[in-house]
Amino acid sequence: VDNAKQFIGLANGVKHFAPVLKSNAYGHGIQQVYECLQDLKLEWICVNYAEEGAELRALGFRGRILLVGPMFEKTKFEMAVKHQLDVNISNFDGLEIWLANKSPSSAHLKIDTGLSRQGFSLKDLESVAAKINASSKHKEKCLGLYTHFANVEDVLDYSFAFKQLKTLNESVMLMQQKGINFSFVHAASSASTLLLEQSRFHLCRVGM
């Protein structure tokens, strides 16, 4: 809890502390960690899978839950709707499933800025924007744009991280030019929340 309070202090103002409790809270137990954090009145929690989000709902969490794991299956999107989970959309297959849902969950688009794990590239975004703009309902639910750093915790030279931030900012500007604005832009993980003030934006996703 003391660690969480330190991160909350860093993520002050309009920025939100969003603890990542994926993989059973990194092995510490999702229920145990959630119960430790309950008194902090969290607005956000991140998990990997819809099942983890459902577990947090069963434990009584009523704030926003963001799924940061890859989304490929229609049933997972349906579970997200049922439990009011924000979904991560990082590929065209997931985008098409989300667009086919008549009552979509809120969505955050993931941009690959250099980690090369999941996410849309900058050159994909014109097509992504066109698909989203075709449905006003889905456009309203497209709330976030985010990325993940490749190596902030492993280096003293942050030039690659700054390059990633530049790509993220270019992505935001490109989507704005297409008429899509985001309530939540986020990049900061645990290490970058500590080390890079420029990365904090609207959410700080703090895990390990």
Side-chain angles (χ1 to χ4, degrees), residues 21-24 30 34 45-68 71 76 79-80 82-86:
L21 305 189
K22 67 180 184 178
S23 304
N24 201 28
I30 192 169
Y34 169 68
I45 293 177
C46 302
V47 293
N48 235 25
Y49 304 113
E51 291 83 357
E52 295 170 322
E55 184 175 356
L56 284 171
R57 293 296 186 218
L59 290 170
F61 183 61
R62 295 294 173 261
R64 302 195 76 142
I65 299 174
L66 171 61
L67 306 181
V68 295
M71 300 283 289
K76 304 305 181 187
M79 186 179 291
K82 178 180 178 181
H83 296 288
Q84 295 181 299
L85 314 174
D86 286 33

Side-chain angles (χ1 to χ4, degrees), residues 3 7 18 21 27 34 37 76 79 81 88-90 105 107-108 125 139 154 175 181-182 185 192 203:
N3 289 342
F7 277 108
L21 305 189
Y34 169 68
L37 298 175
K76 304 305 181 187
M79 186 179 291
V81 172
N88 150 49
I89 300 179
S90 59
S105 293
H108 298 236
L125 292 185
K139 183 177 178 178
D154 300 322
M175 295 298 277
N181 296 293
F182 301 100
V185 175
S192 46
L203 292 181

Side-chain angles (χ1 to χ4, degrees), residues 7-208:
F7 277 108
I8 289 170
L10 290 171
N12 60 11
V14 299
K15 305 170 184 70
H16 299 283
F17 170 64
V20 182
L21 305 189
K22 67 180 184 178
S23 304
N24 201 28
Y26 294 92
H28 296 291
I30 192 169
Q31 179 174 347
Q32 291 88 337
V33 174
Y34 169 68
E35 289 175 352
C36 286
L37 298 175
Q38 264 186 305
D39 290 344
L40 299 178
K41 308 298 182 187
L42 298 172
E43 297 180 40
W44 288 82
I45 293 177
C46 302
V47 293
N48 235 25
Y49 304 113
E51 291 83 357
E52 295 170 322
E55 184 175 356
L56 284 171
R57 293 296 186 218
L59 290 170
F61 183 61
R62 295 294 173 261
R64 302 195 76 142
I65 299 174
L66 171 61
L67 306 181
V68 295
M71 300 283 289
F72 295 106
E73 300 174 34
K74 180 181 177 182
T75 55
K76 304 305 181 187
F77 282 91
E78 291 170 347
M79 186 179 291
V81 172
K82 178 180 178 181
H83 296 288
Q84 295 181 299
L85 314 174
D86 286 33
V87 298
N88 150 49
I89 300 179
S90 59
N91 55 73
F92 282 102
D93 288 342
L95 178 62
E96 293 296 344
I97 296 171
W98 179 69
L99 289 169
N101 195 317
K102 294 180 180 179
S103 299
S105 293
S106 296
H108 298 236
L109 303 178
K110 185 166 188 179
I111 307 301
D112 178 14
T113 59
L115 181 60
S116 301
R117 184 184 297 167
Q118 55 171 317
F120 295 104
S121 68
L122 197 59
K123 66 182 181 181
D124 291 331
L125 292 185
E126 187 165 344
S127 177
V128 170
K131 290 176 180 293
I132 293 172
N133 277 325
S135 169
S136 59
K137 181 185 297 184
H138 289 81
K139 183 177 178 178
E140 289 174 2
K141 287 286 190 174
C142 190
L143 299 185
L145 188 81
Y146 78 109
T147 195
H148 195 73
F149 288 108
N151 64 347
V152 170
E153 66 273 22
D154 300 322
V155 298
L156 295 177
D157 177 3
Y158 300 129
S159 57
F160 191 74
F162 290 131
K163 181 179 178 181
Q164 289 189 265
L165 285 174
K166 182 175 182 289
T167 301
L168 180 65
N169 285 319
E170 288 173 354
S171 301
V172 173
M173 291 176 60
L174 190 155
M175 295 298 277
Q176 286 176 338
Q177 290 168 6
K178 299 297 181 181
I180 300 174
N181 296 293
F182 301 100
S183 300
F184 305 101
V185 175
H186 45 113
S189 57
S190 305
S192 46
T193 299
L194 288 170
L195 300 169
L196 294 178
E197 183 178 357
Q198 304 95 320
S199 74
R200 293 175 192 157
F201 294 103
H202 300 118
L203 292 181
C204 296
R205 308 185 312 266
V206 177
M208 296 180 72

